[in-house]
């Protein structure tokens, strides 16, 4: 019945039963969702669109686009994530992942839904987004997931977070040299960053290759993810990050390591 329901709720309902299915699309890239995981994605989508009516959390407003462009895009990272988890062996239960500039939870919260054993810390500078993330974590009943309000430049200097994570992700936050300065300090030596980027990446990669060793890291490669315009940049931390990094908030983007800034904000 339509009475008393908002257009967003109606559209969300249609997406539940429409021809496009997150479960099928996800299975086709090798990520089979359990019933519980699928239900969590449905709740997440509804919550995101409901909050988006009031706060501008994401430019994606269509329910199917949320599944395609936000959920599925995050799920495409799962094979690389599983590979990184395997490298830590059977201690997979204690693997900590930080998602820098998480926004409405991408990819960090989506990855937590599908790999619930991860301990996930979502780092986000904007208060209203942190409020959403906290609400989503509660609503989805996710254990060992927290949202932290702050700038990665500050959090990366805090002993509670610096060099505490086996894995870091970040999507659409900054160009690669700046992004490395935000992410690498959070990693333990031997840990890995997985950074989804657009395909037009050559200049960023060149600068990234110069920036990485300054921070005690190495760019392993940039692999095209099947069925999307995304390349996943994989980074390994090879040694301790010098104490002077990350620099003060804003400096990593303004004076990027390894050369000149790349484009406006380096968005994907
Ligand atoms: N990763 C999400 C959001 C991308 S928008 C996605 O892919 O949809 C970039 C987000 O990063 C914004 O929410 C912004 O507030 C946050 N951000 C930018 N610089 C940051 C910093 N230095 N520390 C923490 N968060 C930052």
């Amino acid at each position: 019945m339509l009475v008393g329901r908002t257009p967003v709720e109606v559209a969300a309902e249609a997406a539940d039963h429409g021809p496009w299915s997150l479960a099928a699309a996800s299975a086709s890239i090798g990520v089979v969702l359990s019933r519980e995981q699928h239900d969590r994605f449905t709740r997440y989508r509804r919550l995101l669109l409901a909050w988006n009516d009031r706060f501008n959390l994401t430019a994606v407003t269509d329910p199917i686009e949320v599944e395609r462009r936000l959920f599925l895009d995050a799920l495409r990272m799962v094979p690389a994530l599983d590979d990184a988890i395997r490298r830590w062996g059977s201690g997979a239960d204690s693997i900590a992942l930080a998602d820098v500039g998480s926004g409405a939870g991408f990819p960090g919260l989506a990855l937590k839904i599908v790999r619930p054993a991860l301990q996930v810390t979502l780092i986000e500078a904007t208060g209203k987004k942190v409020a959403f993330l906290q609400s989503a974590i509660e609503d989805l009943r996710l254990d060992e997931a927290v949202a932290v309000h702050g700038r990665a430049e500050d959090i990366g200097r805090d002993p509670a977070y610096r060099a505490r994570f086996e894995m870091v992700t970040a999507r659409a936050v900054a160009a690669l040299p700046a992004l490395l300065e935000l992410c690498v300090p959070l990693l333990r030596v031997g840990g890995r960053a997985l950074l989804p980027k657009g395909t037009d990446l050559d200049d960023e990669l060149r600068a990234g290759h110069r920036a990485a060793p300054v921070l005690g890291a190495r760019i392993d490669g940039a692999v095209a993810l099947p069925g999307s315009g995304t390349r996943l940049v994989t980074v390994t931390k090879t040694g301790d990050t010098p104490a002077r990094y990350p620099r003060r908030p804003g400096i990593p983007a303004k004076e990027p390591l390894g050369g000149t800034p790349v484009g406006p904000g380096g968005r994907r």
Side-chain angles (χ1 to χ4, degrees):
M1 207 162 92
L2 290 175
V3 180
R5 298 166 69 216
T6 67
V8 167
E9 285 169 335
V10 173
E13 195 63 39
D16 286 344
H17 305 292
W20 194 83
S21 126
L22 179 65
S26 177
S28 77
I29 55 165
V31 183
V32 177
L33 300 178
S34 70
R35 180 79 228 169
E36 189 183 20
Q37 289 167 356
H38 191 267
D39 288 349
R40 280 203 168 110
F41 277 117
T42 301
R43 289 175 76 95
Y44 187 9
R45 189 195 69 220
R46 289 182 175 160
L47 205 62
L48 180 61
L49 292 175
W51 277 62
N52 224 23
D53 274 356
R54 288 181 290 145
F55 309 103
N56 188 20
L57 294 176
T58 166
V60 182
T61 54
D62 175 73
I64 292 182
E65 289 299 292
V66 169
E67 299 199 336
R68 257 193 236 273
R69 287 176 49 196
L70 299 177
F71 296 166
L72 189 62
D73 247 34
L75 293 174
R76 286 183 212 283
M77 295 171 63
V78 167
L81 180 76
D82 285 346
D83 185 52
I85 291 173
R86 262 194 304 275
R87 281 164 18 100
W88 291 94
S90 55
D93 274 0
S94 63
I95 284 184
L97 179 149
D99 187 35
V100 171
S102 195
F106 302 103
L109 199 54
L111 295 176
K112 171 68 185 174
I113 289 174
V114 77
R115 291 293 177 265
L118 291 170
Q119 296 172 5
V120 171
T121 300
L122 308 169
I123 297 170
E124 173 50 51
T126 304
K128 66 181 182 184
K129 294 181 179 175
V130 176
F132 168 75
L133 291 170
Q134 279 162 346
S135 168
I137 287 167
E138 218 170 282
D139 191 275
L140 300 175
R141 297 185 204 291
L142 294 169
D143 296 328
E144 300 201 292
V146 290
V148 178
H149 185 197
R151 302 220 24 165
E153 293 93 326
D154 296 320
I155 288 169
R157 305 189 74 91
D158 181 336
Y161 299 101
R162 187 180 179 91
R164 297 283 182 182
F165 296 92
E166 282 80 24
M167 254 177 274
V168 174
T169 55
R171 175 182 180 266
V173 176
L176 204 45
L179 195 59
L180 292 172
E181 189 170 345
L182 302 181
C183 293
V184 172
L186 297 164
L187 283 173
R188 284 172 55 175
V189 173
R192 205 175 252 196
L194 301 176
L195 309 171
K197 283 279 176 184
T199 43
D200 184 15
L201 193 60
D202 293 350
D203 288 347
E204 262 191 81
L205 265 180
R206 264 193 292 278
H209 275 291
R210 291 193 295 271
V214 178
L215 298 160
R218 171 187 76 218
I219 295 178
D220 299 314
V223 180
L225 294 181
S228 76
T230 300
R231 281 172 81 189
L232 188 65
V233 177
T234 306
V235 178
T236 299
K237 182 151 172 174
T238 51
D240 290 332
T241 299
R244 61 185 297 245
Y245 302 114
R247 292 167 292 169
R248 281 181 293 115
I251 303 296
K254 206 151 69 180
E255 297 168 20
L257 296 173
T260 45
V262 188
R267 312 284 289 229
R268 298 180 54 236

